């Protein structure tokens, strides 16, 4: 069962605010009517924080380092040298192969999310340099249908990998996705095989693949390329797993323990290499890329030497 | 015998026909005529229903409690089956079974989801929903097959990978990803057959193959109609409608070139004539296996890769 949990996620957010408004709260309602867009309540420490202060701080809570969501573009600008990169395969569009319609037409949903995000689908393929080393980064955009993977996302990942193989360039993904996109049905499921197969080609070519997981990475994305990184690391507290929390709770008939499926839980269970603070992410990449660098000064020492 | 809603009408009619059959000998031509009429009506109704099954009815047939399961096919089609257990890491998962067997005297590796018959067995088999150790056992057996150059045949029949606490702790996502990854490069021919439910990632984790066959009333989907209805329609009772929207039937999958062949079922479904469906499946497996066994492995692997590389539909307007 793969879930595109963006619908759930949306309602979670509203739920969170609703919960705050309940009269049980010690603080009176009046105090909570914070002008939207200027102040936000931190999900980590529940403090009310000046939004500008968060934005100045890599979108982290200045009190508790809670990592707020950032969009794919902002993410990329934090990773590349001087925040500069070139996007490719930008014009690729979904075609609605199933003529899918739920309460809305899939085609209309696509348009709606395109206007919200300024992207044509849930991923940005980019190339540029990190500490002067060329890299390709595919960053997923959660605000586009929950970062769900369907034909366009799969094809763009595979093409990015092909570019890496052709140019001997390290490959990096930043996942942020509820999983496979229901609206493209079986085609979305097949993207799991398509992207995983391409990772196989990348491995065969001896090119490093660094998989960065952010909140959330679940379903068909975690169960394919995202979990196949040579190095896998996550932002603190990111939700990472296969099944959605609600599905598990319904299946087992009990509430999940706190911290379940969070990055720290995955680290403890041996599923990821490390947890990296957003402020350290670029530096961590630089260190890793340096390690994997194939240039002459980094080639293995001749045998019999130490 | 379990009965689906739309199977009930035939059972009622069958009872009426049987009663009349007894009477027909005692009463005259009138009853005999009525008997013939009823029998004709039954045949027509039966054919009409099964020739025009809705996607939801097919979904129900795919999940029919009397539907033949993996071990049924194994015992009917193959000989000398020896079941092998465990992932050598954590446990043996009864939701996935596997082992060595012979087909026409040649060794093959068989792996498949296994649902239980009845409540007790279903609990031990977890309704065919595998934990990571199930997928890792499957991978261990595939690697074993690879070392000894035995083709792999997988049977797919699962509602999905198990969504549980232990499953997440032990890396359900990684286990599925790893199987998909390894099946893509496994250096022996792979045939997969969807015999019942092809539920999402849990199905794909046994389903990356050179040839994908599907029984006429089996399904394969990214998400169950119920779960999809609950998320997108906020109403799980919309599942019958959603089954149509998801295009999960064998016929839709064939149209989209996801499956290579539909194995036709006896009218009424595989459970109504097991010998017949097993016979047909055997023939299909043998035919496909003969063909792909002749393809040099490097070529087979590049065809396998290309097959999945090509899945997806998109457009690229130039501006
Ligand atoms: Zn905070």
């Amino acid at each position: 069962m793969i879930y595109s949990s963006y619908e759930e996620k949306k309602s979670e957010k509203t739920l969170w605010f609703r919960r705050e408004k309940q009269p049980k709260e010690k603080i009176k309602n009046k105090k909570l009517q914070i002008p939207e867009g200027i102040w936000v309540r931190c999900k980590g420490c529940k403090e009310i924080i000046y939004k500008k202060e968060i934005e100045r701080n890599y979108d982290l809570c200045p009190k508790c380092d809670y990592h707020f969501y950032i969009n794919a573009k902002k993410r990329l600008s934090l990773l590349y040298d001087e925040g500069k990169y070139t996007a490719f395969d930008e014009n690729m569009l979904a075609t609605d192969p199933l003529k899918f319609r739920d309460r809305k037409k899939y085609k209309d949903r696509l348009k709606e999310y395109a206007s919200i995000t300024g992207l044509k689908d849930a991923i940005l393929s980019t190339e540029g340099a990190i500490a002067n080393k060329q890299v390709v980064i595919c960053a997923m955009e959660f605000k586009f249908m929950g970062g769900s993977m369907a034909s366009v996302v799969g094809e763009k990942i595979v093409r990015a990998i092909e570019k890496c193989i052709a140019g001997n360039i390290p490959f990096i993904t930043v996942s942020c996705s509820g999983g496979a996109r229901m609206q493209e049905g079986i085609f979305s499921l097949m993207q799991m095989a398509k992207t995983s197969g391409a990772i196989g080609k990348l491995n065969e070519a001896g090119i490093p693949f660094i998989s960065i997981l952010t909140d959330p990475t679940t379903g068909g994305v975690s169960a394919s390329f995202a979990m196949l990184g040579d190095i896998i690391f996550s932002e603190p507290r990111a939700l990472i797993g296969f099944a959605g929390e609600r599905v598990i709770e319904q299946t087992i008939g009990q509430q999940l323990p706190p911290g379940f499926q969070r990055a720290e839980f995955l680290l403890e269970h041996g599923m990821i290499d490390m947890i990296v603070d957003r402020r350290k992410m670029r530096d961590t990449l630089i260190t890793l890329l340096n390690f994997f660098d194939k240039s002459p000064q980094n080639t293995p020492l001749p045998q019999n030497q130490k | 015998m379990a009965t689906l809603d739309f199977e009930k009408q035939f059972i009622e009619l069958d009872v009426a026909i049987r009663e009349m059959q007894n009477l027909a000998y005692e009463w005259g031509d009138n009853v005999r005529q009525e008997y013939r009429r009823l029998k004709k009506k039954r045949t027509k109704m039966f054919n009409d229903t099964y020739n025009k099954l809705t996607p939801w009815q097919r979904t129900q047939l795919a999940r029919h409690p009397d539907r033949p399961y993996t071990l049924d096919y194994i015992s009917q089609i193959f000989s000398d089956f020896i079941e092998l257990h465990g992932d050598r890491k954590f446990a043996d998962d009864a939701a996935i079974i596997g082992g060595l067997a012979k087909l026409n005297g040649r060794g093959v590796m068989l792996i498949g989801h296994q649902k239980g018959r009845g409540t007790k067995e279903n609990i031990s088999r977890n309704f065919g929903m595998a934990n990571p150790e199930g997928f890792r056992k499957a991978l261990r057996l595939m690697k074993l097959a690879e070392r000894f150059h035995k083709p792999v045949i997988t049977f797919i029949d699962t509602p999905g990978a198990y969504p549980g606490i232990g499953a997440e702790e032990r890396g359900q996502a990684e286990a599925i990803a790893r199987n998909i990854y390894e099946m893509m490069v496994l250096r022996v021919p792979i045939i997969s057959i969807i015999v019942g439910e092809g539920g999402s990632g849990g199905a794909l984790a046994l389903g990356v193959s050179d040839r994908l066959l599907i029984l006429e009333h089996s399904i394969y989907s990214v998400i169950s109609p119920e779960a999809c209805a609950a998320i997108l329609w906020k109403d799980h009772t919309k599942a019958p409608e959603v089954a149509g929207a998801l295009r999960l039937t064998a016929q839709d999958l064939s149209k989209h070139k996801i499956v290579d062949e539909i194995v036709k079922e006896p009218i009424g479904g595989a459970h109504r004539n097991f010998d017949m469906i097993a016979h047909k499946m055997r023939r299909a497996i043998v035919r496909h296996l003969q063909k792909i066994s002749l393809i040099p492995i490097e070529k087979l692997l590049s065809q396998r890769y290309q097959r999945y590389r090509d899945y997806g539909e998109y457009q690229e307007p130039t501006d």
Side-chain angles (χ1 to χ4, degrees):
Chain A
M1 275 170 271
I2 312 282
Y3 283 84
S4 293
S5 61
Y6 60 96
E7 289 282 343
E8 284 181 47
K9 207 72 191 176
K10 253 199 233 164
S11 54
E12 255 171 43
K13 270 183 192 143
T14 50
L15 200 75
W16 176 79
F17 280 107
R18 246 187 279 140
R19 211 184 292 145
E20 302 307 321
K21 277 179 191 164
Q22 277 167 9
K24 270 186 208 167
E25 281 285 322
K26 282 175 195 161
I27 321 159
K28 277 183 186 167
N29 279 356
K30 270 185 189 173
K31 279 191 182 173
L32 284 164
Q33 286 170 354
I34 31 178
E36 230 176 277
I38 298 176
W39 300 89
V40 283
R41 178 173 278 235
C42 172
K43 270 194 184 177
C45 63
K46 312 285 180 211
E47 295 277 324
I48 293 167
I49 318 276
Y50 188 42
K51 206 174 175 187
K52 283 253 166 67
E53 210 180 329
I54 296 168
E55 280 164 7
R56 277 196 296 266
N57 187 34
Y58 291 80
D59 287 80
L60 308 188
C61 171
K63 300 243 160 66
C64 74
D65 286 346
Y66 177 82
H67 284 51
F68 285 89
Y69 157 85
I70 54 171
N71 67 30
K73 285 180 184 165
K74 195 158 183 183
R75 167 80 56 190
L76 291 163
S77 69
L78 293 177
L79 299 178
Y80 281 113
D81 292 351
E82 291 145 28
K84 279 190 207 148
Y85 59 88
T86 316
F88 57 91
D89 294 332
E90 275 186 295
N91 290 326
M92 212 184 289
L93 282 169
T95 61
D96 190 14
L98 307 186
K99 309 274 171 284
F100 196 93
R101 165 182 205 136
D102 48 84
R103 290 173 303 165
K104 274 183 197 166
K105 280 187 193 163
Y106 176 41
K107 286 217 156 165
D108 293 339
R109 277 192 197 271
L110 288 167
K111 278 182 205 146
E112 187 189 317
Y113 287 103
S115 76
I116 292 171
T117 60
L119 301 177
K120 297 199 165 109
D121 212 298
I123 197 162
L124 252 174
S125 295
T126 63
E127 57 187 322
I130 295 180
N132 296 318
K133 287 192 174 71
Q134 205 190 349
V135 294
V136 165
I137 307 181
C138 287
M140 303 190 85
E141 178 49 66
F142 190 77
K143 289 272 160 77
F144 196 106
M145 296 187 83
S148 55
M149 174 163 69
S151 299
V152 170
V153 169
E155 179 68 21
K156 285 183 75 166
I157 288 175
V158 173
R159 284 201 198 169
I161 291 170
E162 286 165 352
K163 187 187 264 284
C164 290
I165 294 171
N168 197 7
I169 307 163
F171 182 52
I172 299 167
T173 56
V174 183
S175 296
C176 190
S177 170
R181 186 178 299 167
M182 294 172 278
Q183 287 87 344
E184 290 190 32
I186 197 72
F187 287 106
S188 299
L189 189 70
M190 290 303 118
Q191 303 312 308
M192 292 169 67
K194 176 169 172 169
T195 54
S196 302
I199 298 296
K201 296 281 178 198
L202 194 69
N203 290 0
E204 215 174 86
I207 294 167
F209 167 35
I210 299 168
S211 174
I212 303 173
L213 313 180
T214 70
D215 186 42
T217 300
T218 59
V221 169
S222 68
S224 65
F225 69 90
M227 271 296 165
L228 295 170
D230 295 307
I231 306 285
I232 305 175
F233 58 85
S234 167
E235 283 197 333
R237 295 195 53 181
L239 179 79
I240 304 158
F242 176 66
E245 287 166 286
R246 247 169 255 190
V247 184
I248 300 174
E249 283 183 347
Q250 276 166 15
T251 308
I252 64 172
Q254 63 189 76
Q255 276 209 317
L256 295 168
F260 182 69
Q261 289 183 318
R262 296 286 158 184
E264 296 72 16
F265 169 97
L266 271 94
L267 184 70
E268 191 189 322
H269 286 93
M271 296 301 152
I272 58 175
D273 290 292
M274 54 191 157
I275 294 170
V276 180
D277 187 293
R278 191 175 292 162
R279 287 164 293 196
K280 298 272 170 60
M281 202 148 277
R282 183 177 139 85
D283 286 344
T284 307
L285 284 178
I286 291 171
T287 311
L288 289 171
L289 291 168
N290 208 11
F291 175 81
F292 289 118
D293 188 11
K294 286 180 186 168
S295 61
Q297 62 266 34
N298 198 31
T299 48
L301 293 171
Q303 283 181 352
N304 304 328
Q305 276 187 33
K306 283 205 173 166
Chain B
M1 283 282 270
T3 321
L4 303 175
D5 305 345
F6 63 93
E7 287 179 320
K8 275 196 188 117
Q9 49 179 335
F10 303 119
I11 287 172
E12 281 157 19
L13 210 54
D14 284 347
V15 171
I17 289 171
R18 221 172 299 130
E19 276 172 8
M20 203 167 276
Q21 201 171 11
N22 297 333
L23 291 174
Y25 296 101
E26 295 164 30
W27 304 72
D29 285 346
N30 280 355
V31 179
R32 226 165 283 154
Q33 245 172 26
E34 175 61 13
Y35 167 72
R36 267 187 231 116
R37 196 190 63 78
L38 217 57
K39 232 183 149 170
K40 241 186 182 167
K41 186 185 161 192
R42 196 258 185 214
T43 311
K44 190 176 180 308
M45 255 173 74
F46 201 73
N47 288 339
D48 284 354
T49 303
Y50 286 97
N51 288 333
K52 279 185 286 194
L53 287 171
T54 64
W56 179 243
Q57 287 173 324
R58 287 186 198 277
T59 305
Q60 289 174 294
L61 278 174
R63 298 168 174 172
H64 201 294
D66 295 330
R67 196 167 175 81
Y69 295 150
T70 298
L71 280 171
D72 300 319
Y73 289 111
I74 288 179
S75 64
Q76 187 87 354
I77 296 174
F78 302 89
S79 61
D80 304 319
F81 177 61
I82 295 178
E83 190 178 347
L84 303 171
H85 292 274
D87 66 345
R88 300 290 191 272
K89 291 181 172 87
F90 180 77
D92 183 42
D93 186 350
I96 288 181
I97 57 108
L100 308 161
K102 289 213 158 164
L103 177 65
N104 283 346
R106 292 176 62 182
V108 290
M109 180 64 82
L110 306 177
I111 299 164
H113 303 99
Q114 181 64 39
K115 290 183 177 176
R117 203 69 75 189
T119 312
K120 203 180 149 200
E121 198 199 345
N122 249 324
I123 288 167
S124 76
R125 300 222 177 259
N126 204 22
F127 300 85
M129 293 184 286
N131 275 285
E133 47 275 20
F135 297 120
R136 287 173 185 143
K137 168 168 72 178
L139 183 57
R140 180 176 77 84
L141 299 186
M142 288 179 214
K143 292 279 194 183
L144 185 64
E146 184 180 47
R147 272 177 54 220
F148 295 97
H149 311 288
K150 305 296 177 201
V152 172
I153 301 168
T154 69
F155 297 86
I156 294 166
D157 191 11
T158 180
Y162 186 59
I165 291 181
E168 296 291 328
E169 284 173 341
R170 297 191 292 280
Q172 189 71 292
E174 193 275 343
I176 293 169
R178 188 65 53 196
N179 275 26
I180 295 169
Y181 174 96
E182 293 288 353
M183 287 185 90
M184 200 68 84
V185 293
L186 198 78
R187 301 180 66 81
V188 287
I190 309 173
I191 294 179
S192 297
I193 308 131
I194 305 168
V195 296
E197 273 182 284
S200 196
L204 184 63
L206 298 190
V208 177
S209 51
D210 300 302
R211 296 289 183 273
L212 181 61
L213 316 186
I214 188 166
L215 297 198
E216 190 185 357
H217 306 313
S218 288
I219 57 167
Y220 193 16
S221 180
V222 69
I223 186 167
S224 76
E226 289 89 341
C228 186
I231 298 171
L232 288 184
W233 278 260
K234 310 275 181 228
D235 180 0
H236 66 92
T237 63
K238 287 271 197 295
E241 186 186 318
V242 179
L246 284 169
R247 316 269 182 228
L248 45 64
T249 66
Q251 298 67 33
D252 284 321
L253 295 161
S254 172
K255 199 178 98 191
H256 291 303
K257 298 192 169 65
I258 304 292
V259 297
D260 299 285
E261 183 178 334
I262 299 174
V263 182
K264 211 159 156 36
E265 295 187 29
I267 192 139
H271 59 295
R272 291 190 180 261
N273 191 341
F274 176 57
D275 287 347
M276 179 182 161
I277 190 67
H279 178 71
K280 277 191 175 174
M281 191 190 286
R282 183 183 213 277
R283 277 175 41 185
I285 292 172
V286 169
R287 178 161 35 85
H288 285 287
L289 203 54
Q290 272 171 350
K291 267 191 205 153
I292 58 176
S293 298
L294 295 174
I295 304 171
I297 189 64
E298 292 302 336
K299 195 173 167 197
L300 192 65
L301 286 172
S302 78
Q303 285 174 359
R304 193 187 300 162
Y305 181 78
Q306 202 56 41
R307 174 193 186 113
Y308 291 94
R309 170 73 187 78
D310 289 345
Y311 282 136
E313 296 201 358
Y314 51 87
Q315 53 187 14
E316 259 183 310
T318 44
D319 50 17

